[in-house]
Amino acid sequence: MDFSVATVANGAPLTNFDANSTEAKNGKTTPLFVHIDRTEWDQAVAGVYTGHITFKATLADAQ
C-alpha cells in the first residue's frame, strides 16, 4: 500500500528535510503525518502492515 509522509496534515509529501545541530540541541521536533490515498485504503485487506522511513545524517564542518 503506497503512502506519503508530510509535515502538516494533508500537506505536500515530504521528500527532503534539513535540520541542524542547534535545532536538535534545542529540542526541535517535527510532526509527521502519514497519508494513504482513499483508493489504496479501500483495497486494503485485514492484516498487519509495516512501513519504513529511513533517516540519513551527514556531518559537515561549521561554516
Side-chain angles (χ1 to χ4, degrees), residues 1-60:
M1 178 180 327
D2 290 330
F3 65 91
S4 63
V5 177
T7 57
V8 295
N10 300 314
L14 181 65
T15 57
N16 191 22
F17 178 78
D18 290 319
N20 60 50
S21 61
T22 301
E23 293 170 334
K25 288 176 186 175
N26 289 333
K28 179 184 178 189
T29 61
T30 302
L32 298 177
F33 297 84
V34 174
H35 173 75
I36 301 170
D37 190 72
R38 173 49 83 184
T39 56
E40 291 278 337
W41 188 253
D42 288 344
Q43 295 177 30
V45 296
V48 175
Y49 292 85
T50 302
H52 301 277
I53 299 173
T54 302
F55 292 92
K56 296 181 182 181
T58 58
L59 299 175

